[in-house]
Amino acid sequence: MISLFWENLRISLGSIFGNKSRSILTALGIVIGVLSVTLMGTLISGLDRTFEKSMSFLARDVLIISRMDWFGGDMDWWELRNRPRIKEDYVEQLREKSQFVAAVAPMAERGGSIIRGDKRIDTRFFGTTPEYMATNESADVITGRYFTDGENRSGARVMVIGGDVADALFPDEDPIDKYVKIGSHKFRVVGILKKQGKFMGMFSLDNQAVLPFGTYQRLFSRRGWMNVRVKVNTDNYDEAKEEIYGVMRQLRGLKPLEKDDFAINQSATMEAQYKAIKLAIGGTGLFITALSLIVGGIGIMNIMFVSVKERTKEIGVRKALGATQSMILGQFLMEAVLICLIAGLVGMGLAGGLSLLINQFFPSSMPVGLAIGSIILSVVIGIVSGLVPSYQAARLDPIDALRYE
Amino acid sequence: MADLISLKEIKRHYDVGGELVRALDGIDLTINHNEYISIMGPSGSGKSTLMNMIGCLDTPTEGVYEFEGELVHEMDDNQLASIRNRKIGFVFQTFNLLPKATALRNVEVPLIYANMAKNDRIEKAKKALIAVGLEERMHHKPNELSGGQRQRVAIARALVNDPSIILADEPTGNLDSKSGIEIMKILDKLHHAGNTIILVTHEEYIAEHADRTINLFDGKIKEDRQTKKRKRVVT
Ligand SMILES: Nc1ncnc2c1ncn2[C@@H]1O[C@H](COP(=O)(O)OP(=O)(O)OP(=O)(O)O)[C@@H](O)[C@H]1O
Ligand SMILES: [Mg+2]
């Protein structure tokens, strides 16, 4: 059977490359189909990995108490707007009233520019306490130091900057103990944060600066956002969340029937949201892709019918020389599979190239499983769409086929 | 008792739009090894139908067909393909070579279906091409060969699997008389070397090459006569 396999391969290649433009047009549908399958898969898996990496800065055991839900909820916007702000004394109250608090820190946040001589960078700065480090595992000072409780209390003008800020303002000097300005306020840089990369590949987590909470309050007062970060001391996140909910409702002075006017966010909410988005993208993509593959498969089937018709006489000759039905079937099936396989490889190559290009803006690289899967898919399409024409060829009556002109 | 082929009461009927066409209408025929037979008869008398029947391309509507003791009329498609591959060599009026393949590859085809290893295959195919005098043209494609040369490739292909019988339906029909005579010389030589040959022709001078001539008319054998003394060749 080995020699027959090579013969069939040879015939198929001859037929495919003997009708180049026809083969290219036929294969195009499959190329596009496989291209969209693999590209879609590549993007989703890139999204997945980015998401996982980005989620590490939002550890599962961290709850973030804010005015708003990260993902809308079903509140009207005016109701949301009228929610009272999160107050800084919740921090100590939570520590006192909740048994699940391992560490808790306020997070006041606003945007603005930091200036050093003729250099400036638009960034976000946070006012928080030294305890913040205990609530955020991925935050780490690599050069210099973090500010102290004393500095926090006294409102010292010190600052810990993210990697992007350091790169932008201090391209060729050591930032430690140098001075920068926010508006007219002068700050001394005491430390640099470890780089964390981009969140979902979109915005940099390193473009930030951290100030003592006391300093932030004195200089920027109530402007900007305010959250409270709580790291819990248990694996039972639901229980902890439940209890902190109660404490927060009490702090907000809510009566039993009143609606929440705050939100407790955590990576799990983000995860759920992300999964929903992924499903939507994946589902739509899959539908479109399946459609293009079906169209591609129909194209292959059509061209195989033409090929069988054109070669009716050849089929007759081959049968006269002793080819069995299964040998003829194999010959045409091989041709259909080969077109699809080549088209699949081309589609995959294009997807690989495109994902390299996209990788410049958004992390994406093709997983091996996906590559193997799309090759198998191409072969399956080849078999499915080639089966009926090949069967027709195999069943031809040798005499009728020989007579065919 | 025939030692190669025996046809008994063979009928092949076609139903063409409700009308019955009796292409073969009761053929009794026995053929022995190393016979050289020509089949003649007017157009439509059933010559090609009979050749296809003997060549196991077709099966009878009625009757008994025995080929070297095997009952062909009872065979399924795979068995028919196998017997065609092992025991029968076809030569067609229109050559029927594969246009994209070289002479050598064309001759290899039956051996591929017989699942012969590549080296043996090439060696056998070359031998067959040498036997028909085409050693210089092995790597030419059909469109680079003359009609006579193409038919010689077809003959090489027919004899490459050492068949029990070579069937040639009007092998000279598409050739000028000079090429036709060349082809007949090759067939004579093959017969002389021990092969069994049946050929269909309209030409008396072609038919004269054979030892026995069968005349068909309306699907029946009208005449079956020995034209020469059979000469057994000791091999
Ligand atoms: N597939 C078919 N369907 C219907 N009738 C057929 C078929 N094949 C052959 N016939 C009929 O059978 C008869 C014998 O045909 P065949 O081809 O054997 O004749 P022939 O002797 O070879 O003629 P020619 O010398 O023209 O080649 C003819 O009447 C033909 O029309
Ligand atoms: Mg005929």
Side-chain angles (χ1 to χ4, degrees):
Chain A
M1 285 343 262
I2 307 271
S3 51
L4 189 65
F5 175 86
W6 288 117
E7 173 72 2
N8 282 346
L9 189 66
R10 199 180 177 121
I11 297 166
S12 305
L13 286 172
S15 163
I16 291 167
F17 289 97
N19 297 296
K20 269 198 207 73
S21 50
R22 186 170 92 184
S23 303
I24 290 171
L25 287 175
T26 308
L28 212 56
I30 301 292
V31 170
I32 292 170
V34 170
L35 173 65
S36 46
V37 168
T38 41
L39 208 55
M40 185 71 62
T42 303
L43 287 180
I44 286 181
S45 94
L47 212 60
D48 260 350
R49 258 175 300 148
T50 320
F51 183 78
E52 243 152 63
K53 224 170 97 193
S54 302
M55 277 308 99
S56 64
F57 100 105
L58 281 172
R60 299 194 123 261
D61 55 356
V62 172
L63 304 178
I64 296 175
I65 300 164
S66 328
R67 266 170 79 205
M68 318 258 183
D69 274 306
W70 281 346
F71 299 103
D74 48 6
M75 288 287 171
D76 292 319
W77 66 270
W78 59 86
E79 207 171 336
L80 292 169
R81 243 194 65 190
N82 287 335
R83 285 180 169 187
R85 54 187 297 276
I86 303 291
K87 299 200 189 76
E88 50 274 17
D89 46 292
Y90 294 170
V91 172
E92 289 315 311
Q93 306 250 31
L94 278 166
R95 196 197 308 285
E96 211 169 281
K97 292 189 166 135
S98 166
Q99 51 170 319
F100 292 114
V101 171
V104 54
M107 280 281 278
E109 177 189 356
R110 57 169 298 203
S113 340
I114 304 181
I115 299 164
R116 157 91 181 159
D118 56 351
K119 299 186 185 67
R120 69 184 278 151
I121 181 168
D122 291 323
T123 184
R124 301 198 68 73
F125 33 90
F126 296 89
T128 186
T129 57
E131 204 174 330
Y132 169 72
M133 294 307 270
T135 69
N136 191 345
E137 273 172 27
S138 55
D140 205 1
V141 173
I142 46 159
T143 317
R145 61 175 178 86
Y146 206 67
F147 50 80
T148 63
D149 273 327
E151 282 168 330
N152 185 36
R153 266 194 304 273
S154 65
R157 309 265 170 110
V158 291
M159 180 189 279
V160 176
I161 57 177
D164 287 359
V165 177
D167 291 346
L169 301 183
F170 303 96
D172 32 42
E173 53 183 332
D174 178 9
I176 303 300
D177 288 335
K178 302 274 170 15
Y179 288 88
V180 295
K181 274 172 146 183
I182 298 174
S184 55
H185 310 296
K186 214 170 167 189
F187 285 83
R188 183 161 58 92
V189 176
V190 294
I192 303 173
L193 292 168
K194 196 179 92 187
K195 286 209 176 188
Q196 294 181 49
K198 292 182 169 190
F199 178 75
M200 298 300 282
M202 288 176 286
F203 55 90
S204 175
L205 292 167
D206 302 313
N207 186 5
Q208 58 163 311
V210 185
L211 326 174
F213 189 66
T215 316
Y216 183 96
Q217 274 193 311
R218 256 166 254 193
L219 298 181
F220 308 114
S221 70
R222 315 198 143 192
R223 281 173 290 166
W225 293 89
M226 174 75 186
N227 301 317
V228 175
R229 273 182 86 98
V230 179
K231 184 183 166 82
V232 300
N233 58 10
T234 169
D235 286 345
N236 195 342
Y237 310 128
D238 288 339
E239 195 188 350
K241 194 175 172 183
E242 196 69 22
E243 191 231 34
I244 287 170
Y245 235 113
V247 174
M248 274 306 295
R249 281 187 67 90
Q250 196 192 331
L251 291 177
R252 292 296 237 184
L254 295 172
K255 299 199 183 79
L257 287 179
E258 273 183 296
K259 280 196 212 161
D260 292 335
D261 60 358
F262 63 93
I264 296 181
N265 291 301
Q266 58 180 338
S267 59
T269 30
M270 202 174 236
E271 232 163 60
Q273 195 70 18
Y274 167 74
K275 281 201 178 114
I277 293 171
K278 191 172 101 175
L279 206 70
I281 297 176
T284 321
L286 204 69
F287 178 73
I288 295 170
T289 305
L291 219 60
S292 64
L293 280 176
I294 289 171
V295 173
I298 291 171
I300 299 284
M301 192 184 284
N302 184 45
I303 217 66
M304 289 312 297
F305 275 124
V306 173
S307 185
V308 169
K309 189 125 219 153
E310 277 178 355
R311 285 150 73 188
T312 301
K313 185 130 193 172
E314 177 193 323
I315 295 165
V317 174
R318 290 183 179 279
K319 286 197 157 193
L321 299 179
T324 61
Q325 292 192 4
S326 46
M327 289 169 180
I328 299 290
L329 184 89
Q331 177 188 330
F332 284 91
L333 214 48
M334 165 94 78
E335 185 174 327
V337 167
L338 210 60
I339 295 181
C340 288
L341 193 63
I342 293 171
L345 288 172
V346 170
M348 217 175 66
L350 288 177
L354 273 175
S355 78
L356 278 182
L357 199 73
I358 293 170
N359 199 28
Q360 313 281 318
F361 314 101
F362 182 88
S364 74
S365 72
M366 196 188 296
V368 180
L370 187 67
I372 294 169
S374 61
I375 289 175
I376 293 173
L377 185 68
S378 319
V379 171
V380 169
I381 294 168
I383 292 172
V384 169
S385 54
L387 206 54
V388 175
S390 307
Y391 186 70
Q392 196 187 55
R395 292 298 304 271
L396 278 175
D397 179 71
I399 297 172
D400 290 344
L402 275 168
R403 279 231 191 99
Y404 186 86
E405 284 305 331
Chain B
M1 189 55 212
D3 59 359
L4 179 59
I5 283 170
S6 134
L7 302 178
K8 286 193 191 104
E9 271 302 298
I10 289 288
K11 291 183 181 167
R12 182 66 170 99
H13 295 168
Y14 292 104
D15 186 359
V16 185
E19 198 192 327
L20 198 68
V21 177
R22 300 164 195 272
L24 295 178
D25 197 18
I27 299 281
D28 288 296
L29 184 61
T30 58
I31 297 166
N32 291 304
H33 278 291
N34 199 217
E35 281 204 84
Y36 193 0
I37 301 172
S38 64
I39 298 178
M40 300 193 73
S43 186
S45 56
K47 304 183 294 294
S48 295
T49 309
L50 179 59
M51 288 293 265
N52 291 338
M53 191 68 65
I54 294 170
C56 303
L57 280 169
D58 202 0
T59 45
T61 317
E62 256 178 61
V64 174
Y65 177 11
E66 238 178 280
F67 190 110
E68 291 184 338
E70 295 182 70
L71 296 175
V72 177
H73 61 279
E74 288 175 355
M75 287 182 178
D76 65 21
D77 282 349
N78 279 338
Q79 290 169 309
L80 290 171
S82 165
I83 200 167
R84 289 197 293 269
N85 184 240
R86 290 178 291 117
K87 308 241 162 145
I88 290 157
F90 286 100
V91 177
F92 302 96
Q93 179 176 353
T94 52
F95 323 136
N96 284 345
L97 300 176
L98 305 177
K100 285 178 197 157
T102 62
L104 186 63
R105 285 206 64 81
N106 262 291
V107 177
E108 276 182 67
V109 172
L111 304 179
I112 289 169
Y113 292 133
N115 198 23
M116 187 181 283
K118 192 176 178 190
N119 290 339
D120 302 347
R121 207 165 76 203
I122 291 174
E123 197 182 317
K124 272 202 108 175
K126 281 185 176 167
K127 252 188 212 157
L129 280 165
I130 290 167
V132 298
L134 277 182
E135 54 269 52
E136 305 289 312
R137 294 284 184 273
M138 287 185 190
H139 301 290
H140 290 233
K141 290 189 175 166
N143 61 4
E144 300 159 351
L145 298 172
S146 72
Q149 287 169 331
R150 287 183 211 183
Q151 196 59 303
R152 281 194 268 164
V153 175
I155 292 172
R157 182 175 68 182
L159 62 90
V160 73
N161 55 350
D162 305 318
S164 303
I165 190 164
I166 293 172
L167 301 172
D169 194 346
E170 302 190 45
T172 60
N174 272 25
L175 299 176
D176 59 76
S177 55
K178 186 170 158 280
S179 307
I181 287 165
E182 264 172 40
I183 292 300
M184 288 318 295
K185 272 186 195 156
I186 292 171
L187 290 180
D188 290 352
K189 203 177 86 188
L190 289 174
H191 170 241
H192 203 75
N195 286 286
T196 313
I197 297 171
I198 306 182
L199 66 93
V200 169
T201 181
H202 286 283
E203 311 289 347
E204 200 62 51
Y205 74 93
I206 298 286
E208 275 167 6
H209 285 260
D211 302 339
R212 176 181 171 191
T213 299
I214 294 170
N215 249 296
L216 284 187
F217 190 81
D218 277 355
K220 293 192 172 78
I221 293 176
K222 199 179 84 178
E223 186 188 26
D224 182 351
R225 70 195 151 92
Q226 207 70 33
T227 46
K228 291 179 197 161
K229 256 219 151 83
R230 280 191 66 199
K231 40 185 191 288
R232 271 277 181 196
V233 176
V234 186
T235 41

